[in-house]
Amino acid sequence: MSQVSDRPSMIDLFAGCGGMTVGFHNEGFRPILAVEWDRAAASTYAANFGKEHTHCRDIETFEDDEIPPADVIIGGPPCQGFSNLGSKSVDDPRNKLWKQYLRFVTIARPQVFVIENVERFSRTSEFQLLLEEAEHGILKDYDLTHKVLLAADYGVPQRRPRTIVIGSRVGEIPLPEPTHAKVPTAKRKPWRTVRDAIGWVDWYPTTTELPEKHTTYFEQSIRGEFRGTEIHFGRQPTPMSLERYDHVPPGGGRFDLPDHLLSRCWREKKTGTTDVMGRMRWDAPSLTIRTEFFKPEKGQYLHPQWELDRPDRRVNRVITHYEASLLQDFPKDYQWCGSKTEIAKQIGNAVPSGLAAAIAKHIKGRLS
Ligand SMILES: C[S@@+](CC[C@H](N)C(=O)[O-])C[C@H]1O[C@@H](n2cnc3c(N)ncnc32)[C@H](O)[C@@H]1O
């Protein structure tokens, strides 16, 4: 482990607003470098973990001698999602971000690296590239393990499936065992629910706007920093939207709407997209929180409070940014920078901290 501290050092690549770092930091890891080119996301990261080690720039602009040694590298390049039939060559221009990732691993020589990616990652050519590099290429010293993990199984109040890859040159590391389950056992606690995460948050936000506040990061002005309660703002739905929300019970969605409230595309598409215009359930984890969680027509994002015989006990709105951040397992006192849309993107793109912490805890004891 690095000499200056007994806390293992880590580099976060494609760090976003720092969801993954939250989990590793909570388990005693020490961030020494974060790379993120989106200025709003990098500002949020810097607001919470310090600007000294946060680099708001394209990963490609890093010179080799700027890359420090580290015990662990976390974060993976966003997947372009091109099919298995695509080129597996590191030199394919579409693989340029993976090439950067491999360069950081080669120079920083971490004992372990952790990649988080979409559920179907193991079916992409980016994944094949990793396997080939581990077989006889740049990663030949590393053993790879991978699995799709469900965030809810690790204490996150959300059913978010993600592929996790662990690369280790200190012996193969299997993926951590679930700590939570839908049906609890002696070893597994019950899934955390929407009620656990947001049950205490005010049902009626008092504003529809972010406060007029600006701060400076990376030598430019940016909106923020905002506390959690400052991103608890409502929206101004049309009367038609309100009428739609009113018809949707917990667990329901677009199929609960009467014909006159259906949009043309919903009327024509009789099957699939079952989550859209969906309402959460209080006593279950939410479904995946994506970057457009503020649009009910994009998923199951309506607030869970709804009573059949009591229209006065219905909360007819989509979840707020604050509620989404809590379902994504961010701390209540996390600081946020950027516009409404930029903050939503940061939240939806993040790795829930509970999942990251479970992985961090699991690998920490194996570092030398
Ligand atoms: C899925 S998000 C990361 C989420 C993050 N791990 C978290 O837990 O909050 C991927 C990030 O990669 C960043 N990114 C994409 N291309 C980049 C590049 N060339 N250089 C630096 N960052 C880049 C995007 O701006 C985005 O924030």
Side-chain angles (χ1 to χ4, degrees):
M1 220 170 283
S2 34
Q3 301 298 301
V4 284
S5 160
D6 57 1
R7 292 169 63 207
S9 57
M10 57 171 255
I11 294 176
D12 192 345
L13 300 179
F14 311 97
C17 64
M20 210 168 178
T21 288
V22 174
F24 274 74
H25 188 258
N26 286 351
E27 291 300 324
F29 284 74
R30 181 170 50 94
I32 57 166
L33 179 71
V35 184
E36 170 55 55
W37 72 356
D38 178 277
R39 203 162 62 80
S43 300
T44 296
Y45 184 102
N48 291 282
F49 296 105
K51 49 188 163 198
E52 293 70 28
H53 71 273
T54 311
H55 292 253
C56 179
R57 52 198 257 213
D58 186 343
I59 193 167
E60 291 197 62
T61 65
F62 265 78
E63 299 294 337
D64 289 355
D65 61 9
E66 290 181 277
I67 302 173
D71 294 313
V72 172
I73 291 185
I74 62 172
C79 197
Q80 312 262 307
F82 50 85
S83 81
N84 283 343
L85 303 173
S87 162
K88 292 175 194 157
S89 159
V90 181
D91 296 322
D92 186 315
R94 293 176 302 180
N95 277 332
K96 67 183 179 156
L97 293 182
W98 289 90
K99 200 169 164 183
Q100 291 303 326
Y101 190 85
L102 296 174
R103 181 168 72 102
F104 269 72
V105 171
T106 317
I107 297 173
R109 289 284 296 154
Q111 298 182 47
V112 175
F113 62 83
V114 180
I115 295 173
E116 178 262 5
N117 221 296
V118 291
E119 187 180 6
R120 56 176 291 276
F121 180 55
S122 66
R123 298 195 293 275
T124 63
S125 60
E126 286 96 332
F127 182 71
Q128 292 306 318
L129 174 74
L130 270 187
L131 290 185
E132 283 181 17
E133 292 300 329
E135 190 74 14
H136 42 67
I138 298 171
L139 301 179
K140 65 180 184 312
D141 299 344
Y142 289 86
D143 293 313
L144 296 193
T145 51
H146 73 97
K147 202 171 178 183
V148 175
L149 303 184
L150 189 65
D153 289 345
Y154 298 86
V156 174
Q158 187 186 154
R159 292 179 55 154
R160 185 184 187 92
R162 305 299 280 179
T163 298
I164 302 293
V165 182
I166 300 181
S168 164
R169 61 177 178 82
V170 289
E172 188 177 290
I173 305 183
L175 276 298
E177 286 297 318
T179 50
H180 292 65
K182 184 175 183 181
V183 180
T185 63
K187 284 192 181 158
R188 296 185 189 167
K189 295 184 209 164
W191 275 349
R192 285 180 62 227
T193 65
V194 171
R195 190 189 301 280
D196 296 332
I198 66 168
W200 52 276
V201 180
D202 195 354
W203 288 356
Y204 305 106
T206 51
T207 173
T208 54
E209 294 306 322
L210 281 169
E212 267 312 315
K213 274 208 282 194
H214 288 82
T215 181
T216 302
Y217 278 107
F218 313 109
E219 284 143 36
Q220 282 182 56
S221 171
I222 185 138
R223 298 191 72 179
E225 297 125 345
F226 302 119
R227 290 189 305 277
T229 48
E230 290 174 325
I231 61 166
H232 188 53
F233 51 81
R235 296 174 63 79
Q236 290 170 306
T238 60
M240 157 90 113
S241 295
L242 282 174
E243 215 185 320
R244 282 177 171 152
Y245 306 166
D246 216 18
H247 279 85
V248 182
R254 69 174 176 111
F255 296 108
D256 294 290
L257 299 181
D259 199 63
H260 73 280
L261 290 176
L262 291 176
S263 67
R264 214 182 87 200
C265 75
W266 289 342
R267 199 171 291 129
E268 284 166 8
K269 194 168 184 323
K270 298 266 186 244
T271 56
T273 55
T274 48
D275 307 346
V276 304
M277 199 49 84
R279 188 179 292 278
M280 296 181 174
R281 294 176 197 271
W282 272 128
D283 294 312
S286 74
L287 302 184
T288 300
I289 303 293
R290 300 197 181 82
T291 55
E292 290 192 308
F293 61 77
F294 51 89
K295 296 182 181 169
E297 62 278 14
K298 297 274 176 162
Q300 195 193 74
Y301 301 134
L302 290 174
H303 191 280
Q305 177 57 36
W306 194 91
E307 291 180 25
L308 181 62
D309 303 323
R310 295 279 308 268
D312 60 314
R313 301 268 302 162
R314 294 180 191 168
V315 174
N316 246 351
R317 63 168 174 81
V318 72
I319 52 165
T320 66
H321 282 44
Y322 187 35
E323 289 161 337
S325 78
L326 296 169
L327 291 165
Q328 272 283 58
D329 219 15
F330 279 96
K332 290 177 189 159
D333 59 354
Y334 213 64
Q335 303 278 321
W336 299 93
C337 295
S339 66
K340 289 177 179 177
T341 327
E342 287 168 333
I343 294 173
K345 192 168 150 201
Q346 295 166 34
I347 293 171
N349 268 337
V351 179
S353 66
L355 177 60
I359 299 163
K361 191 172 173 182
H362 184 67
I363 63 176
K364 196 175 169 193
R366 299 172 192 246
L367 300 175
S368 53

